[in-house]
Amino acid sequence: ETGVTQSPTHLIKTRGQQVTLRCSSQSGHNTVSWYQQALGQGPQFIFQYYREEENGRGNFPPRFSGLQFPNYSSELNVNALELDDSALYLCASSLDTGRETQYFGPGTRLLVL
Amino acid sequence: LAKTTQPISMDSYEGQEVNITCSHNNIATNDYITWYQQFPSQGPRFIIQGYKTKVTNEVASLFIPADRKSSTLSLPRVSLSDTAVYYCLVGGAGAGSYQLTFGKGTKLSVIP
């Protein structure tokens, strides 16, 4: 069974640029959630995708957007990057949208200069 | 989503049992209590989940009193590799997504 994978592992961007982060779900999982974790803080929920549709969103502006593909892999896109977007971005997959256990990937470390 | 309060940090010696208590006074009837472990620069890892009384698995036990306003994660005989941040979360499946709400967690340091 393959776990959750994310790419790239690290990324450096400049303010105003756009970035796309990728996530491959664990085999058989149809739900993907994205989280942002600033240094020293707990992860903060960005949004969740279930069967290619957004299924809930946290307190993040519209420049944070996502996609889920038919194979349940997912992308997180961030436009007009700001310095405060520097963080660890985590993807988690689960069997369904309920209280199923969420399995996290290793994350992508984004640095915005 | 219910707010949780847990100690910022704890120290323990190797081989000891560690108990981390989490307060969640506003827990709702359909909320479950879940604990995650996170090592630096890694994603959180599910440890245990429960609704009431006691739950035990191969790595930990979770004690939940009858009023469910708190819970205690118990790690038996910790080792250096248990040094990590431990998060207590409460939440349940409602309409829409099931989002995990993390606090700042408890940083556990295991001392040789």
Side-chain angles (χ1 to χ4, degrees), chain A residues 33 35 37 40-45 48 55-58 88 90 97-107 109, chain B residues 30 32 34 36 38 40-46 49 87 91-94 96-105:
Chain A
S33 303
Y35 295 81
Q37 186 173 24
Q41 305 295 316
Q44 300 299 307
F45 176 75
Q48 182 182 83
N55 185 49
R57 189 179 184 91
L88 180 68
L90 296 160
T97 60
R99 63 173 184 85
E100 301 288 343
T101 299
Q102 295 193 12
Y103 295 88
F104 285 80
R109 175 75 64 186
Chain B
N30 63 344
Y32 280 73
T34 309
Y36 278 80
Q38 187 177 27
S41 297
Q42 293 186 26
R45 182 176 76 101
F46 172 85
Q49 183 181 73
Y87 294 97
S97 66
Y98 181 73
Q99 56 177 275
L100 297 178
T101 300
F102 290 81
K104 292 190 176 181

Side-chain angles (χ1 to χ4, degrees), chain A residues 34-79:
Chain A
W34 284 91
Y35 295 81
Q36 179 196 67
Q37 186 173 24
L39 206 58
Q41 305 295 316
Q44 300 299 307
F45 176 75
I46 303 175
F47 44 56
Q48 182 182 83
Y49 277 81
Y50 170 67
R51 296 187 174 180
E52 304 178 58
E53 296 287 332
E54 188 177 289
N55 185 49
R57 189 179 184 91
N59 189 28
F60 281 81
R63 59 189 185 84
F64 285 78
S65 63
L67 280 174
Q68 188 180 31
F69 301 99
N71 66 355
Y72 302 134
S73 65
S74 177
E75 285 183 355
L76 165 66
N77 298 289
V78 187
N79 294 322

Side-chain angles (χ1 to χ4, degrees), chain B residues 1 8 11 19 23-24 26 34 36 40 48 53 57 65 70-71 77-78 80 84 86 89 95-97 103 109:
Chain B
L1 293 167
I8 294 173
D11 293 336
N19 295 310
S23 298
H24 28 79
N26 297 322
T34 309
Y36 278 80
I48 199 166
T53 62
N57 62 21
S70 66
S71 59
R77 298 179 300 282
V78 294
L80 296 177
Y86 292 82
L89 301 92
S97 66
S109 298

Side-chain angles (χ1 to χ4, degrees), chain B residues 24-103:
Chain B
H24 28 79
N25 292 320
N26 297 322
I27 190 169
T29 303
N30 63 344
D31 282 345
Y32 280 73
I33 300 154
T34 309
W35 286 80
Y36 278 80
Q37 173 195 56
Q38 187 177 27
F39 299 111
S41 297
Q42 293 186 26
R45 182 176 76 101
F46 172 85
I47 301 175
I48 199 166
Q49 183 181 73
Y51 183 80
K52 62 179 179 181
T53 62
K54 177 183 174 182
V55 179
T56 297
N57 62 21
E58 62 277 6
V59 298
S61 295
L62 179 60
F63 298 92
I64 305 167
D67 66 6
R68 304 200 327 121
K69 292 184 183 298
S70 66
S71 59
T72 299
L73 174 72
S74 180
L75 305 172
R77 298 179 300 282
V78 294
S79 64
L80 296 177
S81 62
D82 293 317
T83 293
V85 178
Y86 292 82
Y87 294 97
C88 162
L89 301 92
V90 296
S97 66
Y98 181 73
Q99 56 177 275
L100 297 178
T101 300
F102 290 81

